[in-house]
Coordinates of all heavy atoms in Angstrom, one line a residue:
M1 N -19.4 -33.5 3.2 CA -19.3 -32.0 3.4 C -20.4 -31.3 2.6 O -20.6 -31.6 1.4 CB -18.0 -31.6 2.9 CG -17.7 -30.1 3.3 SD -15.9 -29.8 3.0 CE -16.1 -28.5 1.8
S2 N -21.2 -30.5 3.2 CA -22.3 -29.8 2.5 C -21.8 -28.7 1.7 O -20.8 -28.0 2.1 CB -23.4 -29.3 3.5 OG -22.8 -28.3 4.3
K3 N -22.4 -28.4 0.6 CA -21.9 -27.3 -0.2 C -22.9 -26.1 -0.1 O -24.1 -26.3 -0.2 CB -21.9 -27.8 -1.7 CG -20.8 -28.7 -2.0 CD -20.6 -29.0 -3.5 CE -19.5 -30.0 -3.7 NZ -19.4 -30.4 -5.1
L4 N -22.3 -25.0 0.2 CA -23.1 -23.7 0.4 C -23.3 -23.1 -1.0 O -22.4 -23.1 -1.9 CB -22.4 -22.8 1.3 CG -22.2 -23.2 2.7 CD1 -21.4 -22.1 3.5 CD2 -23.6 -23.3 3.4
K5 N -24.5 -22.4 -1.2 CA -24.6 -21.6 -2.3 C -23.8 -20.3 -2.1 O -23.6 -19.9 -0.9 CB -26.1 -21.2 -2.5 CG -27.0 -22.3 -2.8 CD -28.5 -21.8 -2.8 CE -29.4 -23.0 -3.0 NZ -30.8 -22.6 -2.8
W6 N -23.4 -19.6 -3.1 CA -22.6 -18.4 -2.9 C -23.3 -17.4 -2.1 O -22.7 -16.6 -1.4 CB -22.1 -17.9 -4.3 CG -23.2 -17.2 -5.1 CD1 -23.9 -17.8 -6.1 CD2 -23.7 -15.9 -5.0 NE1 -24.8 -16.9 -6.7 CE2 -24.7 -15.7 -6.0 CE3 -23.3 -14.7 -4.2 CZ2 -25.3 -14.5 -6.2 CZ3 -24.0 -13.6 -4.4 CH2 -25.0 -13.4 -5.4
Q7 N -24.7 -17.4 -2.2 CA -25.4 -16.4 -1.5 C -25.4 -16.6 0.0 O -25.6 -15.7 0.8 CB -26.9 -16.4 -1.9 CG -27.2 -15.9 -3.3 CD -27.2 -17.1 -4.3 OE1 -26.6 -18.2 -4.0 NE2 -27.9 -17.0 -5.4
E8 N -25.0 -17.8 0.4 CA -24.9 -18.2 1.9 C -23.5 -18.0 2.5 O -23.3 -18.1 3.7 CB -25.3 -19.7 2.0 CG -26.8 -19.9 1.6 CD -27.1 -21.4 1.5 OE1 -26.2 -22.2 1.2 OE2 -28.2 -21.7 1.7
L9 N -22.5 -17.6 1.6 CA -21.2 -17.5 2.1 C -21.1 -16.2 3.0 O -21.7 -15.2 2.8 CB -20.2 -17.3 1.0 CG -20.0 -18.6 0.1 CD1 -19.1 -18.2 -1.1 CD2 -19.5 -19.7 0.9
T10 N -20.2 -16.3 4.1 CA -19.9 -15.1 4.9 C -19.1 -14.2 4.1 O -18.1 -14.6 3.4 CB -19.2 -15.5 6.1 OG1 -19.9 -16.5 6.8 CG2 -18.9 -14.3 7.0
P11 N -19.4 -12.9 4.0 CA -18.5 -11.9 3.3 C -17.1 -12.1 3.7 O -16.8 -12.1 4.9 CB -19.1 -10.6 3.6 CG -20.5 -10.8 4.1 CD -20.5 -12.2 4.7
G12 N -16.2 -12.1 2.7 CA -14.8 -12.3 3.0 C -14.1 -11.2 3.7 O -14.5 -10.0 3.5
G13 N -13.2 -11.4 4.6 CA -12.4 -10.4 5.3 C -13.2 -9.5 6.2 O -14.3 -9.8 6.6
V14 N -12.6 -8.3 6.4 CA -13.3 -7.4 7.3 C -13.8 -6.1 6.5 O -14.3 -5.3 7.1 CB -12.3 -6.9 8.4 CG1 -12.0 -8.1 9.3 CG2 -11.0 -6.4 7.8
I15 N -13.5 -6.1 5.2 CA -13.9 -4.9 4.5 C -15.3 -5.1 4.0 O -15.5 -5.6 2.9 CB -12.9 -4.6 3.3 CG1 -11.5 -4.7 3.8 CG2 -13.2 -3.3 2.7 CD1 -11.1 -3.7 4.9
T16 N -16.2 -4.7 4.8 CA -17.6 -5.0 4.5 C -18.4 -3.7 4.1 O -19.6 -3.8 3.7 CB -18.3 -5.7 5.6 OG1 -18.1 -4.9 6.8 CG2 -17.8 -7.1 5.8
E17 N -17.8 -2.6 4.3 CA -18.4 -1.3 4.0 C -17.5 -0.5 3.2 O -16.3 -0.5 3.5 CB -18.8 -0.5 5.2 CG -19.8 -1.2 6.1 CD -19.8 -0.6 7.5 OE1 -19.5 0.7 7.6 OE2 -20.1 -1.3 8.5
P18 N -17.9 0.3 2.2 CA -17.0 1.2 1.5 C -16.3 2.2 2.4 O -16.9 2.7 3.4 CB -17.9 2.0 0.6 CG -19.2 1.2 0.5 CD -19.3 0.5 1.8
G19 N -15.0 2.3 2.3 CA -14.2 3.2 3.0 C -13.8 2.8 4.4 O -13.1 3.6 5.1
N20 N -14.1 1.6 4.8 CA -13.8 1.2 6.2 C -12.4 0.6 6.3 O -11.9 0.3 7.4 CB -14.8 0.3 6.9 CG -14.7 -1.1 6.5 OD1 -14.1 -1.4 5.4 ND2 -15.2 -2.0 7.2
S21 N -11.6 0.5 5.2 CA -10.3 -0.1 5.3 C -9.3 0.7 6.2 O -8.3 0.2 6.7 CB -9.7 -0.3 3.9 OG -9.5 0.9 3.3
K22 N -9.6 2.0 6.3 CA -8.7 2.8 7.1 C -8.7 2.3 8.6 O -7.7 2.6 9.3 CB -9.2 4.3 7.1 CG -8.8 5.0 5.9 CD -9.3 6.5 6.0 CE -9.3 7.2 4.6 NZ -10.1 8.4 4.6
S23 N -9.7 1.7 9.0 CA -9.8 1.2 10.4 C -9.0 -0.1 10.6 O -8.9 -0.6 11.7 CB -11.3 0.9 10.7 OG -12.1 2.0 10.4
Y24 N -8.5 -0.7 9.5 CA -7.8 -2.0 9.7 C -6.4 -1.9 9.1 O -6.1 -1.1 8.2 CB -8.6 -3.1 8.9 CG -10.0 -3.3 9.5 CD1 -11.1 -2.6 9.0 CD2 -10.2 -4.1 10.6 CE1 -12.3 -2.8 9.5 CE2 -11.4 -4.3 11.2 CZ -12.5 -3.6 10.6 OH -13.7 -3.8 11.1
R25 N -5.5 -2.8 9.6 CA -4.1 -2.8 9.0 C -4.1 -3.7 7.8 O -3.6 -4.8 7.8 CB -3.2 -3.3 10.1 CG -3.0 -2.4 11.3 CD -2.0 -2.8 12.2 NE -0.7 -3.2 11.5 CZ 0.4 -3.5 12.1 NH1 0.5 -3.5 13.4 NH2 1.5 -3.7 11.3
T26 N -4.7 -3.1 6.7 CA -4.8 -3.9 5.5 C -3.4 -4.1 4.8 O -3.3 -4.9 3.9 CB -5.7 -3.2 4.5 OG1 -5.4 -1.9 4.4 CG2 -7.2 -3.4 5.0
G27 N -2.4 -3.4 5.3 CA -1.0 -3.6 4.7 C -0.5 -5.1 5.0 O 0.4 -5.5 4.4
D28 N -1.2 -5.8 5.9 CA -0.8 -7.2 6.2 C -0.9 -8.1 5.0 O -0.4 -9.2 4.9 CB -1.6 -7.7 7.4 CG -1.2 -7.1 8.7 OD1 -0.2 -6.4 8.8 OD2 -1.9 -7.3 9.7
W29 N -1.7 -7.6 4.0 CA -2.0 -8.4 2.8 C -0.8 -8.4 1.9 O -0.7 -9.2 0.9 CB -3.2 -7.9 2.0 CG -4.5 -7.8 2.8 CD1 -4.7 -8.4 4.0 CD2 -5.7 -7.1 2.4 NE1 -6.0 -8.1 4.4 CE2 -6.6 -7.4 3.5 CE3 -6.0 -6.4 1.3 CZ2 -7.9 -6.8 3.4 CZ3 -7.3 -5.9 1.3 CH2 -8.2 -6.1 2.3
R30 N 0.2 -7.4 2.1 CA 1.2 -7.2 1.1 C 2.3 -8.3 1.0 O 2.7 -8.9 2.0 CB 1.9 -5.9 1.6 CG 3.0 -5.3 0.7 CD 3.5 -4.0 1.3 NE 4.0 -4.2 2.6 CZ 3.5 -3.6 3.7 NH1 2.6 -2.7 3.7 NH2 4.0 -3.8 4.9
S31 N 2.7 -8.6 -0.2 CA 3.8 -9.5 -0.4 C 5.1 -8.8 -0.9 O 6.1 -9.4 -0.9 CB 3.4 -10.7 -1.4 OG 3.1 -10.1 -2.6
R32 N 4.9 -7.6 -1.4 CA 6.0 -6.8 -1.8 C 6.0 -5.5 -1.1 O 5.0 -4.9 -0.8 CB 6.0 -6.5 -3.4 CG 5.9 -7.8 -4.2 CD 7.3 -8.3 -4.5 NE 8.0 -7.5 -5.5 CZ 9.3 -7.6 -5.7 NH1 10.1 -8.4 -5.0 NH2 9.9 -6.8 -6.6
R33 N 7.2 -5.0 -0.7 CA 7.3 -3.8 0.1 C 8.1 -2.7 -0.7 O 9.2 -2.9 -1.1 CB 8.0 -4.1 1.4 CG 8.3 -2.9 2.3 CD 9.0 -3.3 3.5 NE 8.1 -3.9 4.5 CZ 7.9 -3.5 5.7 NH1 8.6 -2.5 6.2 NH2 7.1 -4.2 6.5
P34 N 7.5 -1.5 -0.8 CA 8.2 -0.4 -1.4 C 9.2 0.2 -0.4 O 8.8 0.5 0.7 CB 7.1 0.6 -1.8 CG 6.0 0.4 -0.9 CD 6.1 -1.1 -0.5
I35 N 10.4 0.4 -0.8 CA 11.4 1.0 0.0 C 11.8 2.4 -0.6 O 12.2 2.4 -1.8 CB 12.7 0.1 0.2 CG1 12.3 -1.2 0.8 CG2 13.8 0.8 1.0 CD1 11.7 -1.2 2.2
W36 N 11.7 3.4 0.1 CA 11.9 4.8 -0.3 C 13.3 5.2 0.0 O 13.7 5.1 1.1 CB 10.9 5.7 0.3 CG 11.0 7.1 0.0 CD1 11.1 7.7 -1.2 CD2 11.0 8.2 1.0 NE1 11.1 9.1 -1.1 CE2 11.1 9.4 0.2 CE3 10.9 8.3 2.3 CZ2 11.1 10.7 0.8 CZ3 10.9 9.5 2.9 CH2 11.0 10.7 2.2
N37 N 14.0 5.8 -1.0 CA 15.3 6.3 -0.9 C 15.1 7.9 -0.8 O 15.0 8.5 -1.9 CB 16.2 5.9 -2.0 CG 17.6 6.6 -1.9 OD1 17.8 7.5 -1.1 ND2 18.5 6.2 -2.8
K38 N 15.0 8.4 0.4 CA 14.7 9.9 0.5 C 15.8 10.8 -0.2 O 15.5 11.9 -0.6 CB 14.4 10.3 1.9 CG 15.6 10.2 2.8 CD 15.2 10.6 4.2 CE 16.4 10.5 5.2 NZ 16.0 10.7 6.6
D39 N 17.0 10.3 -0.2 CA 18.0 11.1 -0.8 C 17.9 11.2 -2.3 O 18.3 12.2 -2.9 CB 19.4 10.5 -0.5 CG 19.7 10.6 1.0 OD1 19.2 11.5 1.6 OD2 20.5 9.7 1.5
A40 N 17.2 10.3 -3.0 CA 17.0 10.3 -4.4 C 15.7 11.0 -4.8 O 15.5 11.4 -5.9 CB 17.0 8.9 -5.0
C41 N 14.8 11.2 -3.8 CA 13.5 11.7 -4.1 C 13.5 13.2 -4.3 O 14.2 14.0 -3.6 CB 12.6 11.5 -2.8 SG 11.0 12.2 -2.9
S42 N 12.8 13.6 -5.4 CA 12.8 15.1 -5.7 C 11.5 15.7 -5.3 O 11.2 16.9 -5.6 CB 12.9 15.3 -7.2 OG 11.8 14.7 -7.9
H43 N 10.6 14.9 -4.6 CA 9.3 15.4 -4.1 C 8.4 15.9 -5.2 O 7.8 17.0 -5.0 CB 9.5 16.4 -3.0 CG 10.4 15.9 -1.8 ND1 9.9 15.1 -0.8 CD2 11.7 16.1 -1.6 CE1 10.9 14.8 0.0 NE2 12.0 15.4 -0.4
C44 N 8.4 15.2 -6.3 CA 7.6 15.7 -7.4 C 6.2 15.4 -7.2 O 5.3 16.0 -7.9 CB 8.1 14.9 -8.7 SG 7.6 13.1 -8.6
M45 N 5.8 14.6 -6.2 CA 4.4 14.4 -5.9 C 3.6 13.5 -6.9 O 2.4 13.5 -6.9 CB 3.6 15.7 -5.6 CG 4.1 16.5 -4.4 SD 3.9 15.6 -2.8 CE 5.6 15.0 -2.5
L46 N 4.4 12.8 -7.7 CA 3.7 11.9 -8.6 C 3.2 10.6 -7.9 O 2.1 10.2 -8.1 CB 4.7 11.4 -9.7 CG 4.7 12.2 -11.0 CD1 5.8 11.6 -11.9 CD2 3.4 12.3 -11.7
C47 N 4.0 10.1 -7.0 CA 3.5 8.9 -6.3 C 2.3 9.1 -5.4 O 1.4 8.2 -5.4 CB 4.7 8.1 -5.6 SG 5.5 9.0 -4.3
P48 N 2.2 10.2 -4.6 CA 1.0 10.3 -3.8 C -0.3 10.4 -4.7 O -1.3 9.9 -4.3 CB 1.3 11.7 -3.1 CG 2.7 11.9 -3.1 CD 3.2 11.2 -4.4
I49 N -0.1 11.0 -5.8 CA -1.3 11.1 -6.7 C -1.7 9.8 -7.2 O -2.9 9.5 -7.4 CB -1.0 12.1 -7.9 CG1 -0.8 13.5 -7.4 CG2 -2.1 12.0 -9.0 CD1 -0.2 14.4 -8.5
H50 N -0.8 8.9 -7.5 CA -1.1 7.6 -8.2 C -1.3 6.5 -7.2 O -1.8 5.4 -7.6 CB 0.0 7.2 -9.2 CG -0.1 8.1 -10.4 ND1 0.6 9.3 -10.5 CD2 -0.7 7.9 -11.6 CE1 0.3 9.9 -11.7 NE2 -0.4 9.0 -12.4
C51 N -0.9 6.6 -6.0 CA -1.1 5.5 -5.0 C -2.6 5.2 -4.8 O -3.3 6.0 -4.3 CB -0.4 5.8 -3.7 SG -0.8 4.5 -2.5
P52 N -3.0 4.0 -5.1 CA -4.4 3.6 -5.0 C -4.9 3.5 -3.5 O -6.1 3.4 -3.3 CB -4.6 2.3 -5.8 CG -3.2 1.7 -5.7 CD -2.3 2.8 -5.7
D53 N -3.9 3.4 -2.6 CA -4.3 3.2 -1.2 C -4.0 4.5 -0.4 O -4.0 4.4 0.9 CB -3.6 2.0 -0.6 CG -4.2 0.7 -1.2 OD1 -5.4 0.6 -1.0 OD2 -3.5 -0.1 -1.8
S54 N -3.7 5.6 -1.0 CA -3.3 6.8 -0.2 C -2.3 6.5 0.9 O -2.4 6.9 2.0 CB -4.6 7.4 0.4 OG -5.5 7.7 -0.6
S55 N -1.3 5.7 0.5 CA -0.3 5.3 1.5 C 1.0 6.0 1.4 O 2.0 5.6 2.0 CB -0.1 3.8 1.3 OG -1.2 3.1 1.6
I56 N 1.1 7.1 0.6 CA 2.3 7.9 0.5 C 2.1 9.0 1.5 O 1.2 9.8 1.3 CB 2.6 8.4 -0.9 CG1 2.7 7.3 -1.9 CG2 3.9 9.3 -0.9 CD1 3.9 6.4 -1.8
K57 N 3.0 9.2 2.5 CA 2.8 10.2 3.5 C 3.4 11.5 2.9 O 4.5 11.5 2.4 CB 3.5 9.9 4.8 CG 3.0 8.6 5.4 CD 3.7 8.4 6.7 CE 3.4 7.1 7.4 NZ 4.3 6.8 8.5
V58 N 2.7 12.6 3.1 CA 3.1 13.9 2.6 C 2.9 15.0 3.7 O 1.9 14.9 4.4 CB 2.3 14.3 1.4 CG1 2.6 15.8 0.9 CG2 2.5 13.4 0.2
K59 N 3.9 15.8 3.9 CA 3.7 17.0 4.8 C 4.4 18.2 4.1 O 5.5 18.1 3.6 CB 4.4 16.6 6.1 CG 4.1 17.7 7.2 CD 4.5 17.3 8.5 CE 4.1 18.4 9.5 NZ 4.8 18.2 10.8
D60 N 3.7 19.3 4.2 CA 4.2 20.5 3.6 C 4.7 20.3 2.2 O 5.8 20.8 1.8 CB 5.3 21.1 4.5 CG 4.8 21.5 5.9 OD1 3.6 21.8 6.0 OD2 5.6 21.4 6.8
K61 N 3.9 19.6 1.4 CA 4.2 19.4 0.0 C 5.5 18.6 -0.3 O 6.1 18.6 -1.3 CB 4.3 20.7 -0.8 CG 3.0 21.5 -0.8 CD 3.1 22.7 -1.6 CE 1.8 23.5 -1.5 NZ 1.8 24.8 -2.2
K62 N 5.9 17.8 0.8 CA 7.0 16.9 0.6 C 6.7 15.5 1.0 O 6.0 15.4 2.0 CB 8.2 17.4 1.4 CG 8.8 18.7 0.9 CD 10.2 18.9 1.3 CE 10.8 20.1 0.5 NZ 12.2 20.2 0.7
M63 N 7.2 14.5 0.3 CA 7.0 13.2 0.7 C 7.8 12.9 2.0 O 8.9 13.3 2.1 CB 7.4 12.2 -0.4 CG 7.3 10.8 -0.1 SD 7.6 9.7 -1.4 CE 7.6 8.1 -0.6
T64 N 7.1 12.2 3.0 CA 7.8 11.9 4.2 C 8.0 10.4 4.5 O 8.6 10.1 5.5 CB 7.1 12.6 5.4 OG1 5.8 12.1 5.5 CG2 7.0 14.1 5.2
G65 N 7.3 9.6 3.7 CA 7.5 8.2 3.9 C 6.3 7.4 3.4 O 5.5 7.9 2.6
I66 N 6.2 6.1 3.8 CA 5.2 5.2 3.3 C 4.4 4.6 4.5 O 5.0 4.2 5.5 CB 5.8 4.1 2.4 CG1 6.4 4.7 1.2 CG2 4.8 3.0 2.1 CD1 7.3 3.8 0.4
D67 N 3.1 4.6 4.4 CA 2.2 4.1 5.4 C 2.1 2.6 5.2 O 1.3 2.1 4.4 CB 0.9 4.8 5.4 CG -0.2 4.1 6.3 OD1 0.2 3.2 7.1 OD2 -1.3 4.5 6.1
Y68 N 3.0 1.8 5.9 CA 3.0 0.4 5.7 C 1.8 -0.3 6.4 O 1.5 -1.5 6.1 CB 4.3 -0.2 6.3 CG 5.5 0.1 5.5 CD1 6.5 0.9 6.0 CD2 5.6 -0.2 4.2 CE1 7.6 1.2 5.3 CE2 6.7 0.1 3.4 CZ 7.7 0.8 4.0 OH 8.8 1.2 3.2
D69 N 1.0 0.4 7.2 CA -0.2 -0.2 7.7 C -1.3 -0.4 6.6 O -2.2 -1.2 6.8 CB -0.8 0.7 8.8 CG -0.1 0.5 10.1 OD1 0.8 -0.4 10.2 OD2 -0.3 1.3 11.0
H70 N -1.2 0.4 5.5 CA -2.2 0.3 4.5 C -1.7 0.1 3.1 O -2.5 -0.3 2.2 CB -3.0 1.6 4.5 CG -3.8 1.8 5.8 ND1 -3.3 2.6 6.8 CD2 -4.9 1.2 6.3 CE1 -4.1 2.6 7.9 NE2 -5.1 1.7 7.6
C71 N -0.4 0.3 2.9 CA 0.2 0.0 1.5 C 0.0 -1.5 1.2 O 0.3 -2.4 2.0 CB 1.7 0.3 1.5 SG 2.6 -0.5 0.2
K72 N -0.5 -1.8 0.0 CA -0.7 -3.2 -0.5 C 0.4 -3.7 -1.3 O 0.4 -4.9 -1.8 CB -2.0 -3.3 -1.3 CG -3.2 -2.7 -0.6 CD -3.7 -3.5 0.6 CE -5.1 -3.1 1.0 NZ -5.2 -1.6 1.2
G73 N 1.5 -2.9 -1.6 CA 2.6 -3.4 -2.3 C 2.4 -3.5 -3.8 O 3.0 -4.4 -4.5
C74 N 1.5 -2.7 -4.4 CA 1.1 -2.9 -5.8 C 2.3 -2.5 -6.7 O 2.4 -3.0 -7.9 CB -0.1 -2.0 -6.1 SG 0.2 -0.2 -6.1
G75 N 3.2 -1.6 -6.3 CA 4.4 -1.3 -7.1 C 4.2 -0.1 -8.0 O 5.1 0.3 -8.7
I76 N 3.0 0.5 -8.0 CA 2.7 1.6 -8.9 C 3.7 2.8 -8.6 O 4.3 3.4 -9.5 CB 1.3 2.1 -8.8 CG1 0.4 1.1 -9.4 CG2 1.1 3.5 -9.4 CD1 -1.1 1.3 -9.2
C77 N 3.9 3.1 -7.3 CA 4.8 4.2 -6.9 C 6.2 4.0 -7.5 O 6.9 4.9 -8.0 CB 4.8 4.4 -5.4 SG 5.3 2.9 -4.5
A78 N 6.7 2.7 -7.4 CA 8.1 2.4 -7.9 C 8.1 2.6 -9.4 O 9.1 3.0 -9.9 CB 8.5 1.0 -7.4
N79 N 7.1 2.2 -10.1 CA 7.1 2.2 -11.5 C 6.9 3.7 -12.0 O 7.5 4.0 -13.1 CB 5.9 1.4 -12.1 CG 6.2 -0.1 -12.2 OD1 7.2 -0.4 -12.8 ND2 5.4 -0.9 -11.5
I80 N 6.3 4.5 -11.3 CA 6.0 5.8 -11.8 C 7.1 6.8 -11.4 O 7.2 7.9 -12.0 CB 4.6 6.3 -11.3 CG1 4.0 7.4 -12.2 CG2 4.6 6.8 -9.9 CD1 2.6 7.3 -12.4
C81 N 7.9 6.5 -10.4 CA 8.9 7.5 -9.9 C 9.9 7.8 -11.0 O 10.7 6.9 -11.4 CB 9.6 6.9 -8.7 SG 10.8 8.0 -8.0
P82 N 10.1 9.1 -11.3 CA 11.0 9.5 -12.4 C 12.5 9.4 -11.8 O 13.4 9.5 -12.6 CB 10.6 10.9 -12.7 CG 9.9 11.4 -11.5 CD 9.3 10.2 -10.9
K83 N 12.7 9.3 -10.5 CA 14.0 9.3 -9.9 C 14.5 8.0 -9.5 O 15.5 7.8 -8.8 CB 14.0 10.3 -8.7 CG 13.8 11.7 -9.1 CD 14.9 12.3 -10.0 CE 14.6 13.8 -10.3 NZ 15.7 14.3 -11.1
N84 N 13.6 7.0 -9.7 CA 13.9 5.6 -9.2 C 14.2 5.6 -7.7 O 15.1 5.0 -7.2 CB 15.1 5.0 -9.9 CG 14.8 4.7 -11.4 OD1 13.7 4.3 -11.7 ND2 15.7 4.9 -12.3
A85 N 13.4 6.4 -7.0 CA 13.6 6.6 -5.5 C 12.8 5.6 -4.7 O 12.9 5.6 -3.5 CB 13.2 8.0 -5.1
I86 N 12.1 4.7 -5.4 CA 11.3 3.7 -4.7 C 11.6 2.3 -5.3 O 11.6 2.2 -6.6 CB 9.8 3.9 -4.7 CG1 9.5 5.2 -4.0 CG2 9.1 2.8 -4.0 CD1 8.0 5.6 -4.0
E87 N 12.0 1.4 -4.5 CA 12.4 0.0 -5.0 C 11.5 -1.0 -4.3 O 11.3 -0.9 -3.1 CB 13.9 -0.2 -4.6 CG 14.6 -1.3 -5.4 CD 16.1 -1.3 -5.1 OE1 16.4 -1.7 -4.0 OE2 16.8 -0.8 -6.0
M88 N 11.0 -2.0 -5.0 CA 10.2 -3.0 -4.4 C 11.1 -4.2 -3.9 O 12.0 -4.6 -4.6 CB 9.2 -3.5 -5.5 CG 8.2 -2.5 -6.0 SD 7.3 -1.6 -4.7 CE 6.2 -2.9 -4.1
H89 N 10.8 -4.6 -2.7 CA 11.5 -5.7 -2.1 C 10.5 -6.8 -1.7 O 9.3 -6.5 -1.5 CB 12.2 -5.3 -0.9 CG 13.4 -4.4 -1.1 ND1 14.7 -4.7 -0.6 CD2 13.5 -3.3 -1.9 CE1 15.5 -3.7 -1.1 NE2 14.8 -2.9 -1.8
N90 N 10.9 -8.0 -1.5 CA 10.0 -9.0 -1.0 C 9.7 -8.7 0.5 O 10.6 -8.5 1.3 CB 10.7 -10.4 -1.1 CG 10.7 -10.9 -2.5 OD1 9.8 -10.6 -3.3 ND2 11.7 -11.7 -2.9
E91 N 8.4 -8.8 0.8 CA 8.0 -8.5 2.2 C 8.6 -9.5 3.2 O 8.9 -9.1 4.3 CB 6.4 -8.6 2.3 CG 5.9 -8.2 3.6 CD 6.0 -6.7 3.9 OE1 6.1 -5.9 3.0 OE2 6.1 -6.4 5.1
S92 N 8.9 -10.7 2.7 CA 9.5 -11.7 3.6 C 10.8 -11.3 4.2 O 11.3 -11.8 5.2 CB 9.6 -13.1 2.9 OG 10.4 -12.9 1.7
E93 N 11.5 -10.3 3.5 CA 12.8 -9.9 4.0 C 12.6 -9.1 5.3 O 13.6 -8.8 6.0 CB 13.5 -8.9 3.0 CG 13.9 -9.6 1.7 CD 14.4 -8.6 0.7 OE1 15.0 -7.6 1.1 OE2 14.1 -8.8 -0.5
Y94 N 11.4 -8.6 5.6 CA 11.1 -7.7 6.7 C 10.3 -8.4 7.8 O 9.9 -7.7 8.7 CB 10.5 -6.4 6.2 CG 11.3 -5.7 5.2 CD1 11.2 -6.0 3.8 CD2 12.3 -4.8 5.6 CE1 12.1 -5.4 2.9 CE2 13.1 -4.2 4.7 CZ 13.0 -4.5 3.3 OH 13.8 -3.9 2.4
K95 N 10.0 -9.7 7.7 CA 9.2 -10.3 8.8 C 10.0 -11.4 9.5 O 11.1 -11.8 9.1 CB 8.0 -11.0 8.1 CG 7.0 -10.0 7.7 CD 5.7 -10.6 7.2 CE 4.7 -9.5 6.9 NZ 3.6 -9.9 6.0
Ligands
LIG101 S1 3.2 0.0 -3.4 FE1 1.2 0.7 -4.1 S2 -0.1 0.9 -2.3 FE2 2.1 0.8 -1.6 S3 2.7 3.0 -1.5 FE3 3.2 2.2 -3.6 S4 1.5 2.8 -4.9 FE4 0.8 2.9 -2.7
LIG102 S1 7.5 9.8 -7.4 FE1 9.7 9.5 -6.7 S2 10.6 11.5 -6.7 FE2 8.4 11.8 -6.9 S3 7.7 12.1 -4.7 FE3 7.5 9.9 -5.2 S4 9.5 9.0 -4.5 FE4 9.8 11.2 -4.7

């Protein structure tokens, strides 16, 4: 088997340009899934500010859900929520 130099490798995945991840369902990479309890949510807007993938849906200054097409399951939203309104589950429970 021939060994390639790193410079000869094909760029990994489909994210080859800055900002193009919106065009792909990168949420497929997720192994943990945040589950939102809307009854416990106070709509403090902490999680939309801290989500690194802009995957918290907001309308009229209220949280409306999670964009599972792009959420990577990092768990920041669950850790930062002051109301414990987001709980992380294994993604395998939903496939
Ligand atoms: S788990 Fe991470 S990527 Fe997904 S909604 Fe929460 S903060 Fe955003
Ligand atoms: S951090 Fe918690 S309480 Fe605040 S908007 Fe997000 S889910 Fe709701």
